[in-house]
Amino acid sequence: MFSFFRKKPAATPAPTPAPAAFSTSPSSAPPPGYPSGGGLIGSALVQPMEIPVPAPIAPERQRWVDKLSAGLRKTSTGIAQVFTGGQIDDQLYEELESALLMADTGVRATQHLLDEVKRRVQASGATRPVQVKNILIDSLTQLLKPLEKPLVIGEFKPTIIMVAGVNGAGKTTSIGKLTKHLADEGASVLLAAADTFRAAAREQLAVWADRNTVEIVSQAGGDPAAVTFDAVSAGKARGKDVVLVDTAGRLPTQLHLMEELRKIKRVVQKADPTAPHEVLLVIDGNTGQNALAQVRSFDEALGLTGLIITKLDGTAKGGVLAAIAQEKPVPVYFIGVGETLEDLETFNAREFALALLQ
């Protein structure tokens, strides 16, 4: 079993933590009557605690993080303005709450982050807004960490991947980019054009198949389930590493079309009892809280194993990943910030938190 995608760089040692507000060394002992071993904020004794300082990004990922930061600028600008003041007070926390909600972080995730930040600020004795920002970056990283998971290919041959999504989310384009990544890593890929309701989808997928020199199973006006069955059977017979199934775009409120997706999954299981091995949902990052509703609906219908978040470039709603992590933590395999092949990359929680909040 092996992963076709970049291994995450080794963690870079964090810089030395910021000094506590009051030193407890002999040269700067607290005044008489003050308890030793901590500092005072008001009347509350706080023990010195490490305030996280974001570690530098690995050089091979810096270009991607710069592109992600540029894409999330509309989201990050509103949040960054919160930390431009000179003190930590109730107004800062109120502005931070509003900024997170405006970024579509969601009520539950926003409350979780606020509670965590306040707790750590109090415990650390932080006195400057920039320290609050660093604590928020670390708290968001920890919240997003469960979503960080690589797509692994090779446990099954072929690995059968169903891809779903609403119209306009970038589903077929994401399949094309994913095919390119897989092919570049030496995997043999077979595409199944099961989006038979839209002629342009088949043509678009055929272009990606030609560009990546991979085979495609397509049938004009055919039954989506039949096309899928033929593709899975062909993938097994031809010894392919991966079969990617492009399904028809649909809204989760279109119950008859959602039932068609369930039918495709059942047919895949008939062709290979162990399949589908991955069920991915492609989400438009601009849809904000509606993305969370899509995750819930498609997960109920299909049992999702992973997400691809597209179109994060230029969005003011990048906080939706925090809402997903808090309420429906389905792993995020890839995020996209543009149309080119290089604009689809593996998801890394710390990189995303830095891009969103720096």
Side-chain angles (χ1 to χ4, degrees):
M1 184 169 61
F2 54 97
S3 172
F4 281 114
F5 302 101
R6 291 190 185 94
K7 294 182 180 177
K8 297 182 175 54
T12 304
T16 304
F22 290 87
S23 172
T24 57
S25 63
S27 60
S28 57
Y34 277 58
S36 61
L40 285 177
I41 294 181
S43 61
L45 176 68
V46 293
Q47 293 298 324
M49 169 185 167
E50 181 178 335
I51 297 174
V53 177
I57 298 296
E60 65 270 19
R61 298 283 289 184
Q62 189 60 57
R63 183 178 178 184
W64 160 251
V65 174
D66 290 343
K67 186 176 290 189
L68 180 60
S69 298
L72 291 171
R73 187 161 291 132
K74 285 186 179 179
T75 305
S76 61
T77 299
I79 301 175
Q81 291 174 349
V82 173
F83 306 107
T84 56
Q87 61 183 353
I88 302 172
D89 52 19
D90 289 341
Q91 183 179 351
L92 182 147
Y93 289 126
E94 289 173 5
E95 291 177 357
L96 178 57
E97 180 179 17
S98 297
L100 290 173
L101 290 172
M102 288 294 291
D104 265 6
T105 303
V107 174
R108 288 179 57 185
T110 296
Q111 191 60 55
H112 168 83
L113 290 170
L114 280 175
D115 291 345
E116 185 67 10
V117 167
K118 288 179 181 179
R119 181 188 68 79
R120 295 176 65 175
V121 166
Q122 183 178 16
S124 67
T127 59
R128 293 174 295 159
V130 67
Q131 294 171 304
V132 180
K133 184 174 77 168
N134 289 341
I135 290 173
L136 178 60
I137 290 172
D138 193 63
S139 297
L140 179 60
T141 298
Q142 296 308 312
L143 177 62
L144 296 176
K145 202 69 177 177
L147 304 185
E148 187 180 304
K149 180 183 176 183
L151 175 61
V152 177
I153 306 297
E155 183 177 358
F156 301 94
K157 187 169 182 177
T159 298
I160 300 165
I161 304 174
M162 276 184 65
V163 185
V166 304
N167 287 319
K171 175 174 53 65
T172 304
T173 299
S174 295
I175 289 174
K177 294 178 181 179
L178 181 54
T179 301
K180 175 65 174 175
H181 278 289
L182 290 164
D184 285 349
E185 293 293 338
S188 56
V189 181
L190 178 68
L191 299 180
D195 186 353
T196 60
F197 297 106
R198 187 168 66 96
R202 296 193 306 275
E203 295 169 0
Q204 187 180 3
L205 201 63
V207 169
W208 281 108
D210 289 340
R211 187 179 299 176
N212 296 315
T213 322
V214 300
E215 298 178 49
I216 182 171
V217 174
S218 178
Q219 202 177 99
D223 177 67
V227 172
T228 302
F229 185 87
D230 290 345
V232 173
S233 301
K236 293 173 68 176
R238 300 172 192 176
K240 298 296 182 181
D241 294 312
V242 181
V243 175
L244 273 169
V245 181
D246 182 18
T247 63
R250 62 208 63 214
L251 295 172
T253 53
Q254 296 170 311
L255 300 181
H256 64 294
L257 293 179
M258 292 297 283
E259 181 54 40
E260 182 69 34
L261 273 181
R262 294 187 185 94
K263 178 183 176 183
I264 291 175
K265 184 177 180 180
R266 290 194 299 269
V267 167
V268 168
Q269 291 169 335
K270 288 182 180 179
D272 185 339
T274 68
H277 308 112
E278 297 283 352
V279 181
L280 309 184
L281 177 65
V282 178
I283 296 175
D284 182 344
N286 285 291
T287 56
Q289 285 295 298
N290 184 256
L292 181 57
Q294 291 177 33
V295 173
R296 287 196 180 106
S297 297
F298 280 92
D299 184 56
E300 182 180 352
L302 298 173
L304 298 177
T305 62
L307 304 176
I308 299 175
I309 314 293
T310 66
K311 305 183 183 181
L312 284 172
D313 47 319
T315 181
K317 301 180 179 182
V320 70
L321 266 74
I324 291 172
Q326 181 69 29
E327 301 186 42
K328 197 68 178 177
V330 177
V332 176
Y333 287 141
F334 303 97
I335 54 176
V337 293
E339 293 296 324
T340 68
L341 288 171
E342 295 75 20
D343 293 333
L344 184 73
E345 259 293 356
T346 50
F347 173 72
N348 179 284
R350 188 173 71 90
E351 290 175 355
F352 188 85
L354 285 170
L356 189 69
L357 299 173
Q358 282 286 61

